[in-house]
Amino acid sequence: MRADLEEIFRDAYPRVVAVAARVLGGRDEAEDVAQEVFLSFGRSAVPAGEAIGWLCVAAAHTALNHLRSGRRRVAREADEAAPDPVPDVADAVVTREERRRVREALGRLPRKAAVALVLRHSGLSYAEVAAALDLSPGSVGTTVRRAESALREELIRHASSR
């Protein structure tokens, strides 16, 4: 294991969980993803200066793998069956359904587009996204805009195929 793991874990854990939660929609599974990511990181030779970017990309990839693999189906069905104490039930159902549709569409995007979108919308700066994905900082905005457009198109395409 790495000698710097504890320090990097303390600094990066909240951000890694936030990236995974952005994809998965829940903190519990996001924390499971973070655990997997830090275990992999602990066995890696990633330089400490590149740790945040590597961890965030790994969190996005791992969360997308969870999303795409269908491992969440049982948990999602259980969550949908359990009513949430919400004042306006209709709004809660619509919001939950929209989030499910966006996550499914995100899972159908090309991996690099999905990761760029997740990282940027998880609060990483353009420079951090660029470093994490080995892009030039000037191309991050274009990459994210194209990913957003592809996500919109995927949502429309899937909605019209129902």
Side-chain angles (χ1 to χ4, degrees):
M1 282 299 206
R2 301 171 61 113
D4 59 355
L5 182 60
E6 185 176 343
E7 179 182 345
I8 291 171
F9 176 84
R10 287 180 191 200
D11 290 342
Y13 183 79
R15 186 173 268 183
V16 171
V17 171
V19 167
R22 174 78 64 184
V23 173
L24 298 168
R27 185 167 174 90
D28 290 341
E29 193 169 4
E31 288 179 346
D32 291 344
V33 165
Q35 181 178 0
E36 288 180 45
V37 168
F38 276 102
L39 285 172
S40 294
F41 178 75
R43 295 186 295 264
S44 77
V46 174
E50 298 173 16
I52 293 287
W54 188 95
L55 288 163
C56 289
V57 169
H61 281 290
T62 304
L64 285 166
N65 287 344
H66 278 247
L67 191 65
R68 290 178 176 161
S69 72
R71 284 189 262 172
R72 300 190 67 235
R73 187 177 306 120
V74 173
R76 187 172 56 243
E77 290 170 356
D79 286 345
E80 289 172 358
D84 292 331
V86 178
D88 188 346
V89 175
D91 286 345
V93 169
V94 169
T95 300
R96 191 175 332 170
E97 176 63 20
E98 286 179 4
R99 286 181 181 153
R100 183 193 58 76
R101 286 182 48 242
V102 168
R103 285 188 189 94
E104 287 175 356
L106 187 64
R108 291 188 299 269
L109 290 181
R111 174 119 356 209
K112 190 167 190 173
V115 171
L117 201 54
V118 168
L119 293 178
R120 182 64 184 131
H121 286 277
S122 294
L124 271 71
S125 68
Y126 276 33
E128 290 170 322
V129 173
L133 296 179
D134 198 26
L135 298 171
S136 70
S139 69
V140 171
T142 302
T143 301
V144 170
R145 279 190 299 282
R146 286 181 181 157
E148 289 169 340
S149 178
L151 181 63
R152 275 191 294 278
E153 290 172 15
E154 185 63 31
L155 286 166
I156 292 167
R157 181 175 30 255
H158 192 69
S160 65
S161 69
R162 287 184 177 199

